[in-house]
Amino acid sequence: MRNARSIRLLAGLVCAGTAVAACGTAGEDGSQAAPGGSGFEPPALEAMAELGEPEGELNILAWPGYAEDGSNDPAVDWVTPFEKETGCQVNVKPFGTSDEAVNLMKTGQYDVISASGDASLRLVAAGDVEPVNTELIGNYGDVYPFLKDKPWNSVNGKSYGVPHGWGANVLSYRTDVVRPAPDSWSVVFDKDSKYKGKITAYDSPIYIADAAMYLMKHQPDLGIQNPYALDDKQFQAAVDLLKQQRPMVSEYWSDYLKESQALKNGDAVVGTAWQVTVNLTESEGAPVASVLPSEGATGWSDTWMVSAKSPNKTCAYKWLDHIISPEANAQVAEYFGEAPANPKACGLTEDKGHCDAYHAGDADYAAQIWYWTTPIEQCLDGRTDVKCKDYGEWTRAWTEIKG
C-alpha cells in the first residue's frame, strides 16, 4: 500500500483527529454547548457576494494531513501550487480534536477550517463561521450530490461549506477465523458471539451510536429513527447493550495502527474499523477483509468552512475551490485515507483502485452511513415531545460502560 509510511507518520494525530471528530463540548452542567442539526436559528450572517483581489495570506486550521506543504514529506504538497497560483501565502495550524478546533476558531486567528460534523454545527451556532456562496466555487458543481446539503454542512437551506472527504466505520474481520463471512454487527453485539474475547471496539462515547444503530434493526419496538437522537428508554437500551458487550471486548482502540497490530497478531479477530486500517493490515500480509453490514454503519464527512471573522475571504474561497479540485482532492484523499468528494479526483490517484477501495461515488453505500453528529437535547430526528440525551450524558455513560 502506497500510503503505509504516511499513515504511520500521521497515526497519532490522525487518530486523534478523525477518530475524535464527533466529540462535543459539554457545559459545566453537562449540557451540550451548542445546538446542531435543523431546528435552530444561527446568527444572521451573509455569504460573500463576489470575490475581490486575493489578500496575500491565508491561515488554515486543519486536521493533520489535510493541508500538506511538503514539510512532512517532500512528495506530498498541494499547498505550494495553491500559493503560486493565487499569491495567498499559507500558514497551517493542525489540530488534534474537534474540541480543540472549536476553541481555536473562537480566537478569530484562522480564515478556514476543516470541520467534522459535530464541530461544524457548533461553529455555525456560535457564529464563528458564515454561509458559503457556492456559486463562487467553480469546482463545487463536480462534488458528489449525496454529500451536499446535509445536516452537518448546511442549516435551514444555507450551505456553510464544501464537502471534502468521507468514510465509514466498517466491520473488519480475520477471514481465516471468522467464518462464514459476517454480514451483521451481531458478531460483535450478540452475547453468544463465538468471538467473545477477540472483539475490538472504538474507544469513544460516540460509539454508543453504533449500538443504537444496531438496535434500530434488532429491537424496532424501541422506535429509534436516528442513532444520535435517543430518549431515555432508547439511550438506556444502547448503554445496556454496550455493558453486555464490555466483557467480550479484548481492546478498545483509538489508534488505528494499534488495532491493525491486534488484527495481525490475532489478539482481535473482528470489530469496527476504518477502511484504511483494513487496507493497511491486508497490505502487510494479514488475512483481513471488511464489510458494510446489513444494519449500516456510522462514519464521518468533513467540511471546509470560512471564518466569519476572516480578513482574507477571497483567499479563503480560492482555497475551498482548490481543495476540492480534482488534483488536490485526489492527493488529500489518498494521503489521508478516505473517499474524495470530487469524482474527477478518482482518475488522478496514484493507486488507481483507491476510489473503489473507499467506495467513492457509491451513493447507495454512502446512504447506509450514519455520519457522526453531536447528540443534543433537541432530538435530531424531529421529535419535539421528548428530550434526547446530549453529549455530556453520552460521555458520562461511556465512562460507566468501560468501568
Side-chain angles (χ1 to χ4, degrees):
M1 183 177 176
R2 172 184 172 273
N3 288 318
R5 185 171 66 86
S6 298
I7 290 168
R8 286 188 175 88
L9 289 173
L10 286 170
L13 289 175
V14 172
C15 289
T18 318
V20 193
C23 294
T25 301
E28 292 182 357
D29 61 353
S31 63
Q32 190 60 33
S38 59
F40 76 96
E41 284 296 332
L45 300 172
E46 296 296 327
M48 280 188 71
E50 60 182 9
L51 299 180
E53 288 295 318
E55 299 86 359
E57 183 180 16
L58 184 68
N59 297 297
I60 295 176
L61 189 60
W63 291 116
Y66 270 11
E68 291 295 308
D69 62 2
S71 57
N72 289 321
D73 184 337
V76 181
D77 183 359
W78 49 90
V79 169
T80 300
F82 169 79
E83 292 177 321
K84 291 179 177 178
E85 179 183 345
T86 65
C88 303
Q89 296 304 301
V90 171
N91 303 302
V92 180
K93 168 69 174 178
F95 60 84
T97 70
S98 283
D99 288 350
E100 180 187 357
V102 169
N103 289 332
L104 287 170
M105 278 297 285
K106 292 185 181 302
T107 68
Q109 297 176 15
Y110 304 96
D111 302 299
V112 295
I113 179 176
S114 63
S116 294
D118 66 311
S120 61
L121 294 176
R122 284 189 278 162
L123 294 168
V124 170
D128 292 324
V129 295
E130 65 185 29
V132 167
N133 184 349
T134 56
E135 293 183 1
L136 300 179
I137 302 171
N139 288 302
Y140 185 79
D142 292 329
V143 171
Y144 289 115
F146 62 81
L147 296 176
K148 297 177 179 178
D149 304 316
K150 297 301 180 182
W152 55 87
N153 58 35
S154 300
V155 177
N156 298 339
K158 290 185 178 181
S159 174
Y160 277 81
V162 297
H164 169 89
W166 61 279
N169 301 316
V170 296
L171 177 62
S172 65
Y173 62 98
R174 293 266 312 203
T175 58
D176 59 337
V177 178
V178 182
R179 295 175 178 170
D183 62 1
S184 167
W185 289 105
S186 61
V187 292
V188 301
F189 286 126
D190 191 317
K191 63 182 176 62
D192 295 320
S193 172
K194 60 182 178 181
Y195 307 110
K196 61 179 64 176
K198 295 285 187 176
I199 293 170
T200 178
Y202 182 45
D203 190 2
S204 169
I206 208 67
Y207 184 61
I208 294 172
D210 291 62
M213 180 191 65
Y214 178 78
L215 292 173
M216 287 173 67
K217 295 292 181 69
H218 294 270
Q219 290 189 33
D221 56 305
L222 288 170
I224 299 174
Q225 300 298 315
N226 182 321
Y228 305 102
L230 305 176
D231 61 30
D232 289 344
K233 181 179 179 181
Q234 295 164 343
F235 184 74
Q236 191 59 53
V239 169
D240 288 345
L241 179 60
L242 291 174
K243 287 182 177 179
Q244 173 185 288
Q245 184 198 44
R246 177 66 183 93
M248 299 161 55
V249 174
S250 59
E251 182 180 6
Y252 289 98
W253 64 272
S254 57
D255 179 336
Y256 65 75
L257 287 185
K258 290 184 178 179
E259 183 190 27
S260 175
Q261 185 61 41
L263 288 167
K264 282 188 292 186
N265 63 27
D267 288 343
V269 300
V270 66
T272 184
W274 298 324
Q275 188 63 46
V276 66
T277 312
V278 178
N279 293 351
L280 175 62
T281 309
E282 185 180 25
S283 75
E284 296 185 346
V288 174
S290 67
V291 64
L292 186 73
S294 58
E295 299 91 353
T298 58
W300 76 91
S301 178
D302 291 339
T303 304
W304 281 98
M305 314 182 85
V306 177
S307 169
K309 301 173 184 176
S310 170
N312 304 309
K313 290 182 181 176
T314 294
C315 281
Y317 268 73
K318 288 188 174 295
W319 174 260
L320 265 60
D321 191 42
H322 172 73
I323 203 63
I324 57 170
S325 67
E327 297 80 8
N329 205 213
Q331 293 178 75
V332 179
E334 197 162 17
Y335 184 68
F336 189 81
E338 64 185 1
N342 189 336
K344 292 181 178 179
C346 292
L348 300 177
T349 55
E350 290 192 19
D351 175 4
K352 298 309 177 184
H354 178 85
C355 282
D356 288 338
Y358 288 88
H359 304 275
D362 189 339
D364 290 338
Y365 182 93
Q368 299 176 68
I369 300 172
W370 288 96
Y371 297 97
W372 282 334
T373 306
T374 299
I376 57 173
E377 187 177 279
Q378 302 100 313
C379 295
L380 298 173
D381 58 8
R383 287 179 293 170
T384 58
D385 57 336
V386 296
K387 291 183 178 180
C388 283
K389 297 292 189 178
D390 65 26
Y391 197 78
E393 294 180 273
W394 283 48
T395 300
R396 286 191 289 273
W398 184 246
T399 301
E400 182 181 331
I401 289 164
K402 290 187 64 181

